[in-house]
Amino acid sequence: MPWWWREGSEQQQSIVAAAAVQQHQGSNVEVKKSAPITVIAKAFLVTKRRLSFHPDKKLFFLYEPGQQVSSAVKIKNTSRSPVAFKFQTNAPKSCFMRPPNGILSPGETIIAIVVKFVEQPERNPEKKSKDKFKIVSLKVKPGTEYTPELFDEQKEFVAVERVLQVVFLDPQSNSSETDKLRKRLAEAEAAQQARKKPPEEKAQRTAAAGGVLDEWKQQQREKRLAKQQIEGVDSL
């Protein structure tokens, strides 16, 4: 929300909003003073995008009838606050997303994989299908955990970030889009493998640290025993 909506008085906001309405609809339209300022503001303020996408408008899939095919889209939080996102599709029986939702920290980037079952017969390769994916977003507070009710509880603040159209590619072609798709899928797979490694490495580091600690304790125990033996000999 612009600073002049936050810092201005209610009267100033009403004046600015009324001017916007008159400019939009013409000077002959009368603005009711009783209209809620929040309603007027939402009607004329354009929601700033919180997320960026690559690819930006289309989801490309290889055309392989009777098979499950995958696509990938890179999503980045370009805002200064944590942002929750959620995938929606008009073909839930034949499509699913990994991850289907989540929360991104400021500047964080993920690669989401979209899986679709291509039915037979399907439209010709390189033609658009009727399947679409809508990604919605919601600004959240730091430390918020994603829950299925999150978007329902704050419907008035949910923004539609992008609607991605499904487009099929000929798997035999050497087009630039086909090459880009394969690279994105490889990158997505590598990112998934990388996310699986940290817990294992952490466990290994913990085990290693435990081994060093145990060895140090053993050395201290042996020193104490040796000291006790020397003291015992001296006392004889």
Side-chain angles (χ1 to χ4, degrees):
M1 183 178 291
W3 61 268
W4 42 272
W5 286 107
R6 296 196 304 266
E7 300 179 356
S9 65
E10 183 178 352
Q11 182 179 3
Q12 290 174 332
Q13 293 174 4
S14 300
I15 294 174
V16 175
V21 173
Q22 290 179 348
Q23 183 177 3
H24 181 72
Q25 297 181 347
S27 58
N28 294 330
V29 178
E30 181 181 357
V31 178
K32 294 182 179 181
K33 296 181 180 180
S34 60
I37 184 63
T38 56
V39 175
I40 299 176
K42 288 182 180 179
F44 289 93
L45 291 179
V46 178
T47 303
K48 184 179 179 180
R49 299 297 181 187
R50 304 170 179 131
L51 304 174
S52 64
F53 299 85
H54 181 72
D56 188 53
K57 297 180 180 179
K58 300 176 182 179
L59 272 179
F60 296 96
F61 293 86
L62 296 180
Y63 180 71
E64 297 179 352
Q67 302 293 326
Q68 278 191 346
V69 293
S70 300
S71 185
V73 56
K74 185 177 293 185
I75 307 174
K76 181 179 181 179
N77 180 0
T78 56
S79 72
R80 298 180 180 179
S81 303
V83 172
F85 71 92
K86 180 173 67 172
F87 274 93
Q88 297 175 336
T89 178
N90 62 345
K93 293 183 179 180
S94 61
C95 304
F96 66 91
M97 293 69 67
R98 298 198 306 262
N101 48 55
I103 295 179
L104 297 177
S105 302
E108 184 179 0
T109 300
I110 65 166
I111 301 178
I113 296 178
V114 184
V115 180
K116 173 179 171 56
F117 179 77
V118 183
E119 298 179 356
Q120 295 181 345
E122 190 62 79
R123 291 191 175 186
N124 294 331
E126 301 182 354
K127 297 292 184 180
K128 294 181 180 180
S129 79
K130 294 181 179 180
D131 296 343
K132 297 179 181 179
F133 294 87
K134 180 168 69 175
I135 300 95
V136 296
S137 72
L138 175 67
K139 179 181 176 181
V140 296
K141 295 180 180 180
T144 301
E145 294 185 1
Y146 186 92
T147 61
E149 301 80 17
L150 191 62
F151 282 82
D152 294 333
E153 294 171 351
Q154 305 184 55
K155 290 182 179 180
E156 64 273 21
F157 301 107
V158 176
V160 177
E161 290 285 343
R162 204 67 96 241
V163 176
L164 301 175
Q165 177 76 46
V166 171
V167 177
F168 288 110
L169 299 173
D170 183 356
Q172 304 301 324
S173 69
N174 295 321
S175 66
S176 60
E177 289 298 342
T178 303
D179 293 339
K180 291 178 182 178
L181 172 60
R182 291 193 172 101
K183 290 180 180 179
R184 282 195 299 270
L185 289 173
E187 188 177 357
E189 183 65 25
Q192 282 192 347
Q193 294 299 325
R195 284 195 294 269
K196 296 178 181 179
K197 289 182 179 180
E200 298 176 0
E201 294 177 354
K202 184 177 180 181
Q204 292 175 358
R205 288 196 300 269
T206 302
V212 172
L213 182 60
D214 292 341
E215 184 178 355
W216 179 82
K217 288 181 178 179
Q218 181 65 25
Q219 291 176 354
Q220 295 299 315
R221 188 180 299 110
E222 291 175 354
K223 288 181 179 179
R224 286 197 300 270
L225 290 174
K227 184 177 180 180
Q228 291 174 0
Q229 291 176 355
I230 294 173
E231 293 175 351
V233 171
D234 293 339
S235 62
L236 291 177

